[in-house]
Amino acid sequence: MIKSMTGYGIGSQDNGKVKYTVELKSLNSKFLELNLRLPKVISDREFALRSESSKLIERGKVNLTVTVEYMNQTAKASTINSELLKKYYTQLQEVAEQLNADQTALFEMALNMPEVVSSNEEAIDEEEVKVLMAAFYQAIEQFNVFRQDEGLILKNDLESRVGLILDYLTQVEAVEGNRIPLIRERLHQYLDEAVGKENVDMNRFEQEIIFYVDKLDITEEKVRLRSHCNYFIQALNASDSNGKKLGFISQEMGREINTLGSKANNANIQQIVVRMKEELEKIKEQLLNVL
């Protein structure tokens, strides 16, 4: 069963002390493009999150955002070195008085001096890691369900469009019955008008007709196109189905449709071929979003 590369999932877990929320969003991409937004307190877990994401997400342009909330708001609060702040402020005040400068922003300047404010953020312990990863896997589970649901919609659309191509192929077969006789008649009429009926070597004419008709024969193209369409549907329903494989099959379908159009030499068939190409283009557009 195919999956869409478009996905969304969110997971949230807490242990009474800390709450982690993980949010995943993805769009289509040929490769995995992973963008992580993490709070500083879990920066050392980035490699682990990237590694797990690579295994579980496969492909897509993915944004992974983690937020953390501590039940005790002071647990990770920053601290102010009041003695150092006073020292900086006094020194700045003395210089300002000497220079007769404005002292309005001295406190803010002192607060931003080195080592005045220090963060209590430290690497999270194993208990917090379990909460984080539980939220991550919950988000992944929702994310994959979303992709599967979107994949089912894509599958139904793709099956419908391949079915239309097969219907158009049946229409080609319905209108091509008198195609060769008409070509033969046109050539015969042209020769009669150009050189005169009595001057035509009928044996040579028949030989040329056979050669010409053989070049216009579309039997092989019809057989191969029907085979490619059936294989596409089979691959679409396979357990290992993926966008790249389906893309390769659609390219083969395109080759047969193009050859069919170039060899048709019939306005009705060429119009049907145009409709086939329209459906194939829509198939290719949809495949860009298949995992």
Side-chain angles (χ1 to χ4, degrees):
M1 181 67 70
I2 62 171
K3 292 181 182 179
S4 170
M5 271 193 278
T6 301
Y8 178 80
I10 187 167
S12 185
Q13 296 286 324
D14 73 82
N15 63 355
K17 298 178 181 178
V18 62
K19 178 181 178 181
Y20 279 98
T21 301
V22 178
E23 186 178 38
L24 284 164
K25 297 178 183 178
S26 74
L27 297 172
N28 61 308
S29 175
K30 288 184 178 181
F31 310 100
L32 177 62
E33 299 178 45
L34 189 59
N35 177 41
L36 271 66
R37 297 178 60 186
L38 308 178
K40 187 177 179 181
V41 69
I42 62 165
S43 58
D44 63 321
R45 308 305 303 177
E46 180 175 351
F47 178 79
L49 289 171
R50 281 190 180 277
S51 179
E52 284 298 290
S53 297
S54 299
K55 289 187 290 185
L56 300 172
I57 296 175
E58 297 180 55
R59 282 200 299 149
K61 186 175 183 180
V62 182
N63 287 320
L64 188 156
T65 304
V66 179
T67 56
V68 58
E69 179 183 351
Y70 289 94
M71 307 309 173
N72 180 2
Q73 295 297 325
T74 63
K76 296 288 182 177
S78 297
T79 57
I80 297 175
N81 188 329
S82 57
E83 292 301 319
L84 190 58
L85 175 61
K86 292 175 184 177
K87 187 173 181 179
Y88 279 132
Y89 183 79
T90 301
Q91 290 177 348
L92 289 169
Q93 195 174 38
E94 290 174 355
V95 173
E97 289 174 353
Q98 292 173 10
L99 298 176
N100 197 26
D102 183 14
Q103 300 186 24
T104 306
L106 290 186
F107 182 79
E108 184 178 350
M109 292 174 61
L111 196 62
N112 290 320
M113 296 298 280
E115 299 182 12
V116 172
V117 179
S118 60
S119 173
N120 287 335
E121 291 182 344
E122 299 175 354
I124 61 176
D125 57 27
E126 287 303 314
E127 186 180 352
E128 276 194 46
V129 171
K130 290 178 181 178
V131 178
L132 167 63
M133 296 312 292
F136 171 76
Y137 289 123
Q138 183 183 15
I140 286 287
E141 184 178 357
Q142 286 191 17
F143 179 79
N144 284 327
V145 169
F146 189 103
R147 278 185 156 185
Q148 288 171 357
D149 292 342
E150 289 288 307
L152 181 59
I153 296 172
L154 287 172
K155 174 181 174 291
N156 293 335
D157 184 72
L158 291 168
E159 282 182 333
S160 173
R161 297 193 185 284
V162 173
L164 283 173
I165 291 176
L166 288 171
D167 288 344
Y168 290 141
L169 185 56
T170 302
Q171 293 178 30
V172 168
E173 293 170 333
V175 301
E176 72 162 332
N178 62 347
R179 173 170 156 267
I180 298 303
L182 284 174
I183 293 172
R184 180 190 291 271
E185 184 180 338
R186 284 205 309 268
L187 290 173
H188 209 298
Q189 184 179 354
Y190 173 77
L191 282 175
D192 288 350
E193 293 174 355
V195 301
K197 187 174 183 179
E198 66 281 359
N199 296 319
V200 177
D201 183 342
M202 293 307 296
N203 289 330
R204 179 65 184 275
F205 176 73
E206 289 298 328
Q207 289 175 3
E208 293 296 332
I209 282 289
I210 291 171
F211 176 75
Y212 186 65
V213 166
D214 184 62
K215 293 186 70 174
L216 295 179
D217 184 63
I218 58 174
T219 303
E220 290 186 14
E221 286 72 21
K222 292 187 299 178
V223 171
R224 285 197 293 263
L225 178 56
R226 181 170 278 110
S227 175
H228 292 326
C229 288
N230 291 333
Y231 184 43
F232 186 97
I233 297 296
Q234 179 186 339
L236 188 62
N237 289 283
S239 58
D240 62 343
S241 182
N242 62 78
K244 289 183 179 180
K245 182 177 182 179
L246 294 171
F248 295 145
I249 301 172
S250 70
Q251 289 176 10
E252 295 302 316
M253 291 164 60
R255 289 191 182 95
E256 301 307 329
I257 291 173
N258 288 334
T259 307
L260 197 65
S262 64
K263 293 174 70 174
N265 199 27
N266 180 284
N268 290 331
I269 292 177
Q270 287 171 334
Q271 288 174 6
I272 296 171
V273 165
V274 168
R275 293 196 285 271
M276 285 183 177
K277 289 182 177 180
E278 288 176 349
E279 294 304 322
L280 185 63
E281 282 304 307
K282 292 172 184 176
I283 287 171
K284 289 180 177 179
E285 287 176 8
Q286 293 286 44
L287 288 178
L288 293 175
N289 200 33
V290 175
L291 186 62

